[in-house]
Amino acid sequence: MNKDSDLPFTKKQIEEIIEKYPTPFHIYDERGIRENARKLYKAFSWCKGFKEYFAVKACPNPYLMEILKEEGCGTDCSSLPELMLSEKVGITGENIMFTSNDTPAGECKKAKELGAIINLDDITHIPFLEKYAGIPDLICFRYNPGPLRQTKAGNVIGNPESAKYGLTRPQLFEAYKIMRQKGVKRFGIHTMIASNELDADAFVETARMLFELAVEISREAGIEFEFVNLGGGIGIPYKPEQKEVDLNFVSEGVRREYEEKIVKNGLVPLKIFMENGRMMTGPFGYLISRAIHEKHIYKEYIGLDACMANLMRPALYGAYHHITVLGKENMPLTNKYDVVGSLCENNDKFAIDRMLPKIGMGDIVAIHNAGGHGYAMGFNYNGKLRSAELLLRQSGKVKLIRRAETPLDYFATFNFSGSKYKF
Ligand SMILES: *Cc1c(COP(=O)(O)O)cnc(C)c1O
């Protein structure tokens, strides 16, 4: 796949957009988001009740949540504002999966009020939930397989054994028994082991693990499971040489395990849920920025008008994000650049030693795969302001779905009462 030539917009279109909305900004491709969601649902169409709960943290914008809602998705929330956003776009009740850890009482309460599926992260959260929100009719627990599963380098969650999430295997059996004794009648089971995983087999392996566990627990605890949530974490090909996860391959593998474990053991109907974030919006978001400086010292630098406040992944994980210089897609990659932002941290680099066409001042670049864990991770360190978010509609029209921050936004939380500092 040539990342440079399959952009959902032309240089001319972006230039027109910039006249109204100055760089930097994120732009999301509605068509891409919809087609991808449909692909996921189609792959799992054999499984009645299959549902994707979009992990809101990947791109918490109600306009995108609404698009995904229209495609049949619910939301996976882990904070009060995420719950409130879901409620705002009309995603309520069991269309919300509340998967939190180290959960504050108020969030348990809100999740319970919304009728969300509460997915507990620990056995000690049972009395906590009971005290602050009450025991719901439907409960789910998050499983941490610990040493039974290893994940690969590049996984941002880390190996299960050193990850803070979920219950151990023995705790899980106990937790379901406790909940049954407390009168809970409906049950689900969940795990989330990897993030940005490109190996399709890993998801089949996770399904096998959870299906086996569901069989064992339902026998030993005397309960029936309604659903298994395989978690999210489907990776995306950030690098040109990487391939996207074949959803049909994943689905077929999961189906074999389902027939082997679930159907043969009489656990049907058992629904399958997923809660992907990154793969639902990531590839369909671009950070658009302009080259404003070039610098020739010990290395060659191109300075953009965006910085790590708009996209932290390169600084945080050394992540690769492909860069297209608009209008120069077919030019030879003659120059080796560090492409940097203006933050006073030397890791504020979108690319290091990247071969690119010769960049001129004013050139516009599109930084790819910025639609998941992109804008969302932004911060205000160094007085840097977060950029706007635009939605490229299927009609070709562009809608501003979040304006850029201004200095007044940055100052808004100071307490100016009785002070001379008011702006
Ligand atoms: C972050 C997260 C997800 C989504 O992860 P992606 O890698 O974006 O798919 C899903 N579930 C939980 C519990 C998470 O914390």
Side-chain angles (χ1 to χ4, degrees):
M1 189 174 79
N2 185 343
K3 283 186 181 290
D4 294 318
S5 58
D6 67 355
L7 293 167
F9 41 71
T10 62
K11 181 181 178 211
K12 186 161 166 288
Q13 236 176 328
I14 291 292
E15 282 170 341
E16 282 164 16
I17 294 168
I18 290 174
E19 281 173 25
K20 197 158 174 204
Y21 306 110
T23 54
F25 55 77
H26 287 261
I27 187 163
Y28 306 104
D29 169 28
E30 178 182 9
R31 184 188 311 276
I33 292 172
R34 286 191 189 276
E35 285 174 359
N36 180 64
R38 285 175 200 172
K39 211 158 84 178
L40 178 64
Y41 271 96
K42 186 154 177 268
F44 280 93
S45 57
W46 59 268
C47 181
K48 197 161 178 290
F50 173 82
K51 197 171 177 78
E52 153 73 18
Y53 289 81
F54 171 58
V56 176
K57 76 169 189 278
C59 202
N61 190 302
Y63 291 91
L64 302 187
M65 291 161 70
E66 191 180 14
I67 290 171
L68 289 167
K69 179 189 168 203
E70 285 168 10
E71 296 302 333
C73 301
T75 50
D76 173 44
C77 300
S78 55
S79 66
L80 182 62
E82 289 179 0
L83 287 168
M84 291 167 73
L85 276 174
S86 292
E87 187 178 18
K88 197 47 113 184
V89 298
I91 300 175
T92 56
E94 291 173 16
N95 292 316
I96 301 175
M97 187 97 195
F98 184 63
T99 297
S100 163
N101 70 92
D102 189 19
T103 315
E107 298 188 0
C108 290
K109 203 157 163 276
K110 180 70 179 173
K112 173 89 174 354
E113 277 165 20
L114 284 172
I117 302 175
I118 296 178
N119 185 21
L120 292 185
D121 187 67
D122 193 56
I123 194 159
T124 62
H125 291 196
I126 299 173
F128 189 85
L129 181 69
E130 191 162 29
K131 180 169 174 197
Y132 293 105
I135 298 291
D137 306 329
L138 169 60
I139 201 77
C140 185
F141 287 100
R142 177 173 186 163
Y143 173 48
N144 181 335
L148 300 176
R149 282 294 289 277
Q150 301 285 315
T151 51
K152 297 196 187 75
N155 170 28
V156 295
I157 293 186
N159 263 326
E161 203 173 1
S162 50
K164 64 175 174 169
Y165 313 105
L167 289 79
T168 66
R169 197 182 142 90
Q171 285 175 340
L172 210 53
F173 283 82
E174 197 187 334
Y176 284 106
K177 285 182 196 161
I178 294 172
M179 282 308 202
R180 194 200 59 198
Q181 281 156 13
K182 289 188 183 294
V184 174
K185 298 249 155 34
R186 302 172 57 208
F187 298 92
I189 184 166
H190 166 275
T191 199
M192 168 82 190
I193 298 174
S195 185
N196 197 24
E197 177 64 69
L198 283 171
D199 177 11
D201 286 320
F203 298 98
V204 178
E205 179 63 29
T206 295
R208 178 188 310 138
M209 177 185 84
L210 276 190
F211 293 161
E212 280 172 359
L213 203 51
V215 172
E216 278 187 65
I217 294 172
S218 51
R219 281 190 191 139
E220 198 179 315
I223 60 166
E224 262 179 51
F225 281 104
E226 273 186 31
F227 70 84
V228 161
N229 185 334
L230 305 177
I234 294 182
I236 58 178
Y238 285 101
K239 296 181 180 164
E241 67 272 19
Q242 290 175 326
K243 283 211 180 67
E244 63 182 85
V245 174
D246 181 344
L247 296 176
N248 290 319
F249 179 92
V250 173
S251 166
E252 279 314 304
V254 172
R255 185 180 194 161
R256 275 197 307 277
E257 297 300 329
Y258 190 91
E259 274 159 15
E260 193 60 34
K261 311 274 155 27
I262 301 303
V263 178
K264 283 203 181 139
N265 285 294
L267 264 66
V268 276
L270 178 78
K271 290 183 268 193
I272 295 176
F273 296 162
M274 286 200 89
E275 49 182 36
N276 293 290
R278 186 187 316 273
M279 70 91 69
M280 302 305 290
T281 52
F284 315 108
Y286 300 82
L287 174 58
I288 306 294
S289 182
R290 214 187 255 288
I292 55 170
H293 289 288
E294 59 186 311
K295 183 165 172 163
H296 317 280
I297 50 169
Y298 308 103
K299 297 182 86 174
E300 295 294 298
Y301 292 93
I302 291 294
L304 300 183
D305 59 5
C307 70
M308 66 188 281
N310 309 114
L311 179 66
M312 279 187 67
R313 299 190 69 261
L316 206 54
Y317 313 122
Y320 178 97
H321 279 260
H322 196 72
I323 297 177
T324 299
V325 186
L326 298 187
K328 296 188 176 177
E329 290 82 351
N330 298 316
M331 302 220 333
L333 310 178
T334 47
N335 291 54
K336 190 194 269 187
Y337 292 120
D338 278 16
V339 180
V340 305
S342 59
L343 208 127
C344 300
E345 285 284 338
N346 196 41
N347 61 351
D348 184 12
K349 296 184 175 184
F350 292 107
I352 296 173
D353 294 334
R354 181 76 56 88
M355 292 308 295
L356 289 167
K358 183 167 172 46
I359 296 179
M361 292 304 87
D363 279 1
I364 305 162
V365 302
I367 303 178
H368 294 238
N369 293 306
H373 310 279
Y375 180 96
M377 277 187 183
F379 66 159
N380 283 131
Y381 181 50
N382 211 184
K384 298 299 173 187
L385 304 173
R386 275 166 293 213
S387 48
E389 291 182 293
L390 309 181
L391 178 61
L392 177 61
R393 288 283 189 199
Q394 296 192 93
S395 62
K397 287 213 176 77
V398 169
K399 184 176 171 63
L400 179 72
I401 56 174
R402 185 183 331 231
R403 67 165 171 79
E405 286 179 342
T406 68
L408 289 184
D409 293 313
Y410 182 69
F411 305 143
T413 47
F414 287 123
N415 177 12
F416 288 124
S417 72
S419 91
K420 62 180 180 193
Y421 298 127
K422 202 170 168 70
F423 285 90

